[in-house]
Amino acid sequence: SKFINKYAELVFVTAPHIAPPLADAEPGTEPDPTQRSWWFNKDDGTFKGTNRNGPAIGFEESLKLVEKVWKDEGCSGLLGFSQGACFVGLLCDLSARGMTSIKPEFAVLSSGFRSGSLVHLNFYETKVQIPSLHIYGEADEIIPKDLSMALADTFMDPQILTHPGGHFLPAQAAHKQTYVEFFRERLQFHLEAKEIENATAANSIMLDDNGLAGSGSRANGVHGGDEDDDDDSD
């Protein structure tokens, strides 16, 4: 992430749920606390990206966690990998429908896919309007590229970055340049929007209790007549 530090500060969030041992693990294997999950979509408490029509166990807890981090850290965008990218897609959809306090200005999704959980089947009906960068490997055997392409299709005008490898975030020179350009554009847009917002606030029209208007910092305490006039109001 060093090459984008000039344009973005990354806040890393650890998924709240500890993933169970893999199915082929030795009997009695203890869960690895470093292996985490945002939610589980199988009845046995595991997760598989290609699973369909299953539950979304633990999703609400993860949503509350990210909402808290979003508020505490003052974030402006979302970045996710694999299940994290799937989660980002859901968060963007929730935001577009006004169903979360998270309001991303952009999203970066690597090796993502659409959630197949039953409670998420009504998502993806309207394309997400924010700028997005979608990254996937042509040889990804964990999340096949078709699944990542399907997620990208739920965004309006998605930017696509592919690489010949598998299930990882590429970091060769050409890929880094794409990241830098994307985040640089997002930062420029963010700063311009803030400048417009501040200018609008400074010149906003405000009303006092009597419905009389004043502009900017002079609005407070503005009344209808001279200070020496009698107050005829009831």
Side-chain angles (χ1 to χ4, degrees):
S1 63
K2 293 181 179 179
F3 50 88
I4 62 169
N5 283 347
K6 184 178 179 180
Y7 308 105
E9 177 184 355
L10 301 183
V11 177
F12 294 92
V13 185
T14 300
H17 309 296
I18 298 176
L22 297 176
D24 58 357
E26 292 290 332
T29 300
E30 292 293 324
D32 182 351
T34 66
Q35 299 298 310
R36 318 289 288 196
S37 184
W38 293 107
W39 71 94
F40 305 108
N41 65 358
K42 300 181 72 175
D43 292 328
D44 62 359
T46 60
F47 183 91
K48 187 174 180 62
T50 55
N51 193 51
R52 292 292 176 266
N53 301 320
I57 304 168
F59 179 83
E60 290 299 325
E61 291 88 340
S62 292
L63 175 59
K64 291 177 181 178
L65 170 62
V66 177
E67 286 178 334
K68 182 179 186 304
V69 174
W70 183 271
K71 178 181 178 181
D72 292 346
E73 298 291 341
C75 301
S76 58
L78 295 168
L79 183 154
F81 173 77
S82 197
Q83 190 195 31
C86 176
F87 193 20
V88 167
L90 295 172
L91 292 174
C92 290
D93 186 276
L94 286 170
S95 177
R97 291 187 284 148
M99 298 179 67
T100 176
S101 56
I102 298 170
K103 303 297 180 186
E105 298 174 10
F106 64 88
V108 179
L109 309 92
S110 179
S111 299
F113 51 93
R114 294 171 59 158
S115 173
S117 295
L118 280 173
V119 295
H120 298 150
L121 293 184
N122 65 329
F123 287 58
Y124 313 114
E125 293 181 353
T126 303
K127 288 184 181 291
V128 176
Q129 302 292 319
I130 63 174
S132 61
L133 174 62
H134 301 257
I135 308 147
Y136 58 85
E138 297 285 349
D140 194 332
E141 297 181 355
I142 297 176
I143 302 297
K145 67 175 184 179
D146 290 350
L147 299 184
S148 294
M149 292 169 63
L151 177 61
D153 192 50
T154 66
F155 286 74
M156 184 69 70
D157 299 324
Q159 181 177 345
I160 307 295
L161 174 63
T162 64
H163 61 92
H167 196 65
F168 60 85
L169 188 66
Q172 295 182 354
H175 306 129
K176 291 180 179 179
Q177 186 59 34
T178 299
Y179 303 147
V180 167
E181 291 176 358
F182 182 84
F183 280 105
R184 182 169 54 204
E185 290 176 0
R186 303 286 70 77
L187 176 60
Q188 181 178 353
F189 180 86
H190 178 78
L191 294 177
E192 289 175 352
K194 283 294 183 183
E195 185 176 346
I196 293 173
E197 179 183 336
N198 292 337
T200 301
N203 294 287
S204 62
I205 300 299
M206 301 178 65
L207 301 179
D208 68 5
D209 292 340
N210 295 319
L212 300 174
S215 62
S217 60
R218 298 180 61 186
N220 292 335
V222 174
H223 297 285
D226 295 334
E227 292 182 0
D228 293 334
D229 288 350
D230 292 333
D231 187 354
D232 295 329
S233 62
D234 294 332

